[in-house]
Amino acid sequence: MNTLRFRLAVLVGIAVTLATGLGVTLIGFGKAGEYAGGALYACLIGLLILLILPRMKPLLLLASTAGVCWAVEFFQLTPWPAEWAEQSFLARLVFGSTFHAPDLLPYILGAGLVAAVHAWTRRGPLPEAAP
């Protein structure tokens, strides 16, 4: 798969993940919805990473996706995300508002899912981009 087709596929994945995540967030499904939302958030982060770095190896993708998600979660221990969440719905979606340790597990699951799909669909290294 060439880099352009790969990025287009990732963009479709991002759109589907965003729509699903917003649906889960806006409709609400209780605790299951919260955890599904966390896993979808991690999938979105992983897809954004792949959009920028399409040749990233799956294990590194898993680690970097989980690392970004955990960093955002631990950032919620500071006062800024809560302040931003009060002012903007988008900021609340991106940064959350309060630290919640049980959210850390769904991030790992979502990161693992996107890394597994990436590993499964990857057929050797992507070709170099044309000059």
Side-chain angles (χ1 to χ4, degrees):
M1 179 180 295
N2 70 32
T3 303
L4 179 60
R5 282 190 16 211
F6 178 81
R7 284 194 167 123
L8 288 173
V10 170
L11 284 171
V12 169
I14 287 170
V16 169
T17 303
L18 270 174
T20 306
L22 286 173
V24 166
T25 299
L26 296 175
I27 294 170
F29 291 98
K31 287 288 182 197
E34 280 183 42
Y35 297 124
L40 288 165
Y41 178 84
C43 288
L44 177 63
I45 296 298
L47 289 168
L48 289 170
I49 291 170
L50 276 178
L51 188 63
I52 296 165
L53 301 167
R55 290 175 189 80
M56 182 174 274
K57 295 187 184 208
L59 191 56
L60 183 56
L61 176 64
L62 187 152
S64 58
T65 299
V68 168
C69 293
W70 279 37
V72 169
E73 189 68 31
F74 281 102
F75 184 57
Q76 293 170 2
L77 291 169
T78 70
W80 299 298
E83 290 174 15
W84 298 340
E86 288 177 15
Q87 298 170 5
S88 166
F89 178 71
L90 182 59
R92 183 170 67 87
L93 288 176
V94 173
F95 296 107
S97 60
T98 56
F99 178 79
H100 189 236
D103 288 343
L104 298 173
L105 179 60
Y107 295 150
I108 297 292
L109 297 175
L113 176 63
V114 77
V117 169
H118 180 50
W120 180 62
T121 59
R122 188 177 150 136
R123 291 189 177 93
L126 293 173
E128 291 298 318

